[in-house]
Amino acid sequence: REDGGRLYAGVQAAGRVMLSGGVSGVAARVCTHPFDTIKSRQQVAGSLDGGARRLARASMPTALLSVLRDEGVAGLYRGFGAVAFGVPFASAFYFGGYEWSKALLGEGTAAYICAGLLGQSAAGLVYTPVDVIKERLQVQSLVGRQGYRYASALDGLRSVVRAEGAAGLMRGYWANNATWWPWNVAYFLAYEHGRDLVARHAGVADKAQLPPATSSACACAAAAAA
């Protein structure tokens, strides 16, 4: 009965975290998407001919101003439709997968490691298709006739599935996970053990009862450490 109660509480926590994680994920991307667009374009520009190659050597402020001058603010948000649609689900899979895994595995270092790996793996099932479409939209104004032309994120989705099959949407899944697995392990270990430490010093029996501001501070410290 105790295990069942813990699992039920974990599922409830996963539901709350899935909702808040989805909303916060989109809010964060609104701020960071322009820089992600510049990153994607600079990584591709060096392989192209003509004036596009200059973007690869430009500083970030210069690249930002160049896109604003040529395409306006909309140019910095190419591919954001895919992000706005997919990131809430990816964030929900990420945080929900972590909380659900932790509810099954319990507390402790090994549980945090496994839950972090599983959360990232689950999120990658959504993040990878989002990234495939997003990054192609971000750079398509550079590749021009050398590549493809998607009218929207939905058009990009249809085009990839038609030309490459569903597997085309999952290109880079394992490479992406290999990039983020170590970070997730470090982050969740620091986050959970940090909350344990704070709860002990504050005389709180259950770290779940810590104020949200305290847990947020632990999250920021863990992210910086990771």
Side-chain angles (χ1 to χ4, degrees):
R1 181 174 297 178
E2 183 179 345
D3 290 342
R6 187 183 67 187
L7 180 58
Y8 178 70
V11 171
Q12 283 188 313
R16 292 193 298 270
V17 171
M18 286 171 71
L19 178 60
S20 61
V23 173
S24 63
V26 173
R29 290 299 188 103
V30 170
C31 300
T32 61
H33 193 82
F35 303 106
D36 186 61
T37 296
I38 297 303
K39 181 263 302 180
S40 297
R41 292 191 180 196
Q42 287 189 312
Q43 289 176 332
V44 170
S47 66
L48 301 177
D49 298 327
R53 182 173 294 182
R54 290 195 296 271
L55 184 65
R57 297 188 295 272
S59 66
M60 187 181 68
T62 300
L64 278 169
L65 290 173
S66 175
V67 174
L68 283 171
R69 183 181 62 249
D70 295 341
E71 304 175 49
V73 174
L76 296 173
Y77 281 91
R78 303 285 184 208
F80 189 75
V83 171
F85 177 78
V87 164
F89 296 100
S91 296
F93 272 49
Y94 178 66
F95 291 109
Y98 176 76
E99 291 293 340
W100 180 78
S101 299
K102 202 170 65 163
L104 289 176
L105 300 172
E107 299 288 330
T109 298
Y112 302 151
I113 291 173
C114 292
L117 294 174
L118 290 170
Q120 170 58 40
S121 300
L125 296 173
V126 183
Y127 271 127
T128 304
V130 167
D131 281 344
V132 168
I133 302 303
K134 170 186 70 69
E135 293 187 13
R136 293 189 185 191
L137 284 166
Q138 285 174 320
V139 303
Q140 75 172 3
S141 65
L142 289 181
V143 300
R145 294 183 179 179
Q146 301 177 53
Y148 50 86
R149 179 62 58 179
Y150 300 154
S152 64
L154 181 58
D155 181 48
L157 175 66
R158 291 169 176 164
S159 298
V160 171
V161 171
R162 184 168 56 247
E164 306 171 47
L169 295 172
M170 299 304 295
R171 298 196 188 283
Y173 172 78
W174 292 111
N176 186 54
N177 280 331
T179 300
W180 286 104
W181 275 331
W183 187 92
N184 279 280
V185 167
Y187 170 76
F188 282 116
L189 283 175
Y191 173 65
E192 295 290 359
H193 285 306
R195 291 172 74 214
D196 289 333
L197 181 63
V198 171
R200 281 198 302 270
H201 279 282
V204 177
D206 184 356
K207 64 184 175 183
Q209 302 303 316
L210 288 171
T214 302
S215 293
S216 295
C218 290
C220 291

